[in-house]
């Protein structure tokens, strides 16, 4: 007797990329609709005269970029969403 195996359903879960500190957006490297790999640079922040790259923690499609160059962002602010 052959049993039917349960079907695997993949759910798309969005990954929010948030600021870890107060900083200024120095450069936006990606735009909405682009595919990124884990470790790709999304934006570059500036804080205390240091440039800090914000990296994708997951591979996927950038569904939104919520900052622009010159924005001052606070800890926890949404930078981008990847799904």
């Amino acid at each position: 007797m052959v049993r039917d195996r349960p079907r695997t359903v993949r759910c798309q879960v969005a990954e929010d990329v948030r600021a870890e500190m107060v900083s200024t957006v120095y450069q936006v490297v990606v735009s909405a609709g682009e595919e990124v790999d884990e470790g790709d640079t999304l934006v570059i922040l500036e804080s205390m005269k240091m440039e800090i790259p914000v990296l994708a923690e997951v591979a996927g499609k950038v569904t939104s970029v919520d900052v622009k160059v010159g924005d001052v962002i606070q800890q926890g602010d949404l930078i981008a969403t990847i799904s």
Side-chain angles (χ1 to χ4, degrees):
M1 180 169 152
V2 177
R3 292 184 146 182
D4 288 333
R5 290 185 177 173
R7 294 180 188 200
T8 303
V9 177
R10 295 184 72 184
C11 297
Q12 282 289 40
V13 177
E15 173 80 18
D16 289 341
V17 179
R18 296 193 175 271
E20 294 184 6
M21 66 181 77
V22 176
S23 53
T24 302
V25 179
Y26 179 74
Q27 182 180 8
V28 178
V29 179
V30 298
S31 58
E34 285 187 47
E35 294 286 333
V36 294
D37 290 322
E38 181 179 344
D40 285 354
T41 301
L42 303 174
V43 300
I44 299 174
L45 304 177
E46 186 275 324
S47 181
M48 301 185 322
K49 298 184 181 182
M50 294 187 312
E51 292 180 9
I52 304 146
V54 176
L55 307 178
E57 294 184 6
V58 296
K61 185 176 186 175
V62 177
T63 54
S64 71
V65 177
D66 299 284
V67 296
K68 62 185 183 309
V69 173
D71 284 353
V72 176
I73 56 176
Q74 304 296 314
Q75 182 177 0
D77 283 356
L78 183 63
I79 294 174
T81 304
I82 301 171
S83 63

